[in-house]
Amino acid sequence: MKKSSWMIVPAAFFFLFNFSISSVKTLFFLRLIYFLFLVSLFFFLRRFNLKKILIPIVGGVSLILFVYGILQKIILFPYYLRNLANENNFYSQAFKTRLETGRVFSLFTLPSLYAIICAVLILFIFYYFLKTKKNRIFWAILLILGIINIVLTQSFGGILYLSIGVLIYLFLSGILSFKYIAPVVMVLFLFFFIVTGLRYSEAKELEPIKLRLSNWEQAYRTIKSSPILGIGLGNYESKISYFTFPGEAKSIYAHNFFLQFISELGIIISFFILLILFLSIKKLKPENSKEKVLYISAFIIMLVYNLIDIGFYFFSAGIVTVVLLSQIYEKRSEKYKLNLSILVILSILLIVQTFSDNYQKKANFLLSQKSFEEAEVFYKKSLKVNPFNFKSITGLGNINLIKKNYFESEKYLDRSLKLYPDSAFANYLKSRIDFNKEHFLNSLYHANLAFNKNRLNYEYKRWYEFIKNNIQIELSKTGI
């Protein structure tokens, strides 16, 4: 890539600027490690033809996901709803609200994310059903299960992705001519209307569209605030609350990969990356593109997905995209020893972060159950794996505040605020400690930071107004 190598130096220079303005440096590094992992995985996988390996992988993964998705809808949802009927904590209520929608998500975190995975798997299954003479009954059963699952996700986007992918594949492969497009589109619209019926209350109010438009407008404001250098890679979730107005949909995602990417990195770095990709793609040039129609069609699905969600930011979607690109630009002649070493190092870092996050989420749940001792154990486990996990540090500060161990709580909160100065929750807790210590001006300062970070949070607003309205009284008690 000699033509594009000269651009690496100025791109790296602007990356340093982007790092310097990132308010949360740990988020910058985590996102950078993740994207470098995807790039390394692409260069490693493109040296292998995965065609034969993908057949059992697609079959096995699809069977597990689709069967579990149906069991989730029929058995698990009713079971959990019965058991959560009398639970009043935050996590139980949030989980109950999600289950009541009836939207399956199988082993994923969101129905919309599961829908895109379903769409890609169904396209592969459809291809194997058409091309493979053996096990056609198996592929037919998987195809039916997959269609049932994508309908059960109740995702408008899922039906859209699948429709686009199937149509593009049929056209590029020469199976479908334009004279048959009408009946095919009618069948695809049938599934769309079924999903519309399942979510009619939302569909009639155009809620999915309003959500996207609201989040896109917020992303535009974020870009406008720092168009040249961006707000910092990975820092969208830490800054978006400043650009979310009352009455708008709240989300830590832009629901558009490209808008979020530009808002984080800025126009200049985005331009350099786009130029490097353009020159690199010209050099890579896919061989035997006619044989790669399946991968190209599936990749187009992923591109559409990135227009209405954050796409590549999700680990599963990123992996799927890398696998598709590696087969489109397959080249088996290159060496991979150095690349494999880099890939292993990056994988270890991501695994470490995953363990830390899992401990932290477990601790959050235990905290919501008022199991303070157990929660403290898991927060500390999280920090043993990753000492820079500011969420776990804040969690320990919160527990110690509940226990009225103000000295320990302040120690943890100060440490957390060094990593994440804009944290609304950490500033709110710090304000409460300062108030208890009768450091009223400091309490007002941190209460103001918490309120400005998240003006839509009633508790932060109530606390800030309480401090502001009563500070003169408290100060008079001290004789000031």
Side-chain angles (χ1 to χ4, degrees), residues 327-450:
Q327 296 311 286
I328 293 172
Y329 296 104
E330 177 200 353
K331 189 172 183 181
R332 283 179 262 180
S333 60
E334 296 184 12
K335 296 180 181 180
Y336 56 85
K337 287 184 179 179
L338 178 61
N339 180 249
L340 180 59
S341 301
I342 295 172
L343 182 61
V344 169
I345 293 170
L346 294 171
S347 299
I348 291 171
L349 292 174
L350 288 175
I351 291 170
V352 166
Q353 176 59 26
T354 301
F355 272 106
S356 179
D357 283 347
N358 287 340
Y359 285 136
Q360 175 253 317
K361 289 172 184 176
K362 175 70 173 177
N364 285 350
F365 176 75
L366 290 168
L367 182 59
S368 72
Q369 302 290 318
K370 301 188 184 303
S371 301
F372 302 122
E373 300 300 329
E374 290 183 81
E376 188 171 7
V377 169
F378 277 96
Y379 279 134
K380 288 180 177 179
K381 282 185 177 181
S382 173
L383 291 177
K384 282 183 180 179
V385 178
N386 176 15
F388 303 101
N389 191 323
F390 57 85
K391 293 180 181 179
S392 293
I393 299 171
T394 305
L396 287 170
N398 187 24
I399 288 175
N400 280 280
L401 178 59
I402 293 169
K403 292 179 176 180
K404 297 184 179 180
N405 297 331
Y406 298 128
F407 177 78
E408 283 296 308
S409 179
E410 188 170 30
K411 184 177 70 174
Y412 282 118
L413 292 174
D414 286 341
R415 181 177 161 192
S416 175
L417 288 170
K418 283 183 180 179
L419 295 171
Y420 186 2
D422 288 342
S423 172
F425 187 50
N427 274 295
Y428 166 69
L429 297 178
K430 187 73 164 63
S431 176
R432 287 179 55 186
I433 291 176
D434 284 331
F435 185 81
N436 288 327
K437 293 170 64 178
E438 298 186 351
H439 296 168
F440 301 118
L441 290 178
N442 282 341
S443 179
L444 179 64
Y445 170 75
H446 288 289
N448 182 48
L449 287 176

Side-chain angles (χ1 to χ4, degrees), residues 199-260:
R199 296 177 65 188
Y200 179 70
S201 60
E202 297 176 62
K204 71 177 181 179
E205 300 295 334
L206 300 176
E207 287 185 14
I209 296 175
K210 289 178 181 178
L211 170 67
R212 265 35 179 202
L213 291 175
S214 180
N215 292 152
W216 295 347
E217 189 174 358
Q218 293 159 12
Y220 169 73
R221 294 180 200 132
T222 310
I223 294 171
K224 193 176 177 181
S225 70
S226 182
I228 306 301
L229 296 175
I231 59 174
L233 182 64
N235 277 249
Y236 188 87
E237 63 181 82
S238 69
K239 290 291 186 181
I240 189 57
S241 60
Y242 289 117
F243 306 98
T244 303
F245 298 157
E248 293 183 339
K250 292 191 293 182
S251 177
I252 60 172
Y253 307 123
H255 281 101
N256 183 300
F257 169 81
F258 304 102
L259 286 176
Q260 183 158 331

Side-chain angles (χ1 to χ4, degrees), residues 65-264:
L65 292 178
F66 296 162
V67 170
Y68 185 76
I70 294 172
L71 291 176
Q72 194 175 62
K73 177 70 173 181
I74 298 173
I75 299 173
L76 296 179
F77 280 7
Y79 172 79
Y80 289 138
L81 285 171
R82 285 195 302 270
N83 284 273
L84 292 171
N86 299 319
E87 295 285 342
N88 293 317
N89 63 74
F90 171 78
Y91 284 94
S92 297
Q93 288 300 313
F95 190 41
K96 182 182 177 183
T97 301
R98 174 181 287 192
L99 297 182
E100 286 173 342
T101 66
R103 301 181 62 187
V104 302
F105 46 88
S106 192
L107 300 177
F108 296 87
T109 54
L110 297 167
S112 57
L113 178 56
Y114 181 42
I116 184 62
I117 301 300
C118 278
V120 173
L121 289 175
I122 290 170
L123 182 61
F124 270 76
I125 292 166
F126 180 61
Y127 171 82
Y128 296 144
F129 174 75
L130 293 178
K131 298 294 183 180
T132 308
K133 293 181 180 180
K134 295 180 180 179
N135 303 319
R136 295 196 77 181
I137 295 176
F138 171 74
W139 294 116
I141 293 171
L142 275 187
L143 189 60
I144 294 169
L145 291 175
I147 291 171
I148 292 171
N149 269 262
I150 203 168
V151 170
L152 290 178
T153 64
Q154 301 178 34
S155 171
F156 296 110
I159 301 298
L160 176 65
Y161 312 141
L162 181 59
S163 302
I164 291 172
V166 169
L167 286 173
I168 289 174
Y169 170 72
L170 291 174
F171 279 123
L172 292 180
S173 61
I175 297 173
L176 180 68
S177 60
F178 278 100
K179 64 180 180 180
Y180 297 115
I181 190 171
V184 173
V185 171
M186 287 175 65
V187 172
L188 295 172
F189 262 104
L190 172 63
F191 293 108
F192 184 81
F193 290 134
I194 291 173
V195 172
T196 301
L198 293 171
R199 296 177 65 188
Y200 179 70
S201 60
E202 297 176 62
K204 71 177 181 179
E205 300 295 334
L206 300 176
E207 287 185 14
I209 296 175
K210 289 178 181 178
L211 170 67
R212 265 35 179 202
L213 291 175
S214 180
N215 292 152
W216 295 347
E217 189 174 358
Q218 293 159 12
Y220 169 73
R221 294 180 200 132
T222 310
I223 294 171
K224 193 176 177 181
S225 70
S226 182
I228 306 301
L229 296 175
I231 59 174
L233 182 64
N235 277 249
Y236 188 87
E237 63 181 82
S238 69
K239 290 291 186 181
I240 189 57
S241 60
Y242 289 117
F243 306 98
T244 303
F245 298 157
E248 293 183 339
K250 292 191 293 182
S251 177
I252 60 172
Y253 307 123
H255 281 101
N256 183 300
F257 169 81
F258 304 102
L259 286 176
Q260 183 158 331
F261 192 77
I262 293 171
S263 69
E264 290 184 354

Side-chain angles (χ1 to χ4, degrees), residues 248-314:
E248 293 183 339
K250 292 191 293 182
S251 177
I252 60 172
Y253 307 123
H255 281 101
N256 183 300
F257 169 81
F258 304 102
L259 286 176
Q260 183 158 331
F261 192 77
I262 293 171
S263 69
E264 290 184 354
L265 287 177
I267 295 172
I268 293 179
I269 299 176
S270 298
F271 170 75
F272 273 113
I273 291 174
L274 185 64
L275 197 57
I276 290 171
L277 286 175
F278 174 73
L279 295 175
S280 300
I281 288 171
K282 281 183 67 177
K283 182 180 177 180
L284 292 172
K285 286 183 182 179
E287 299 174 359
N288 302 319
S289 57
K290 290 183 179 180
E291 296 180 5
K292 298 175 180 178
V293 170
L294 173 64
Y295 304 122
I296 294 170
S297 303
F299 178 65
I300 292 173
I301 289 179
M302 299 306 299
L303 282 180
V304 174
Y305 173 58
N306 278 270
L307 290 172
I308 55 180
D309 215 319
I310 57 169
F312 303 147
Y313 279 94
F314 287 125

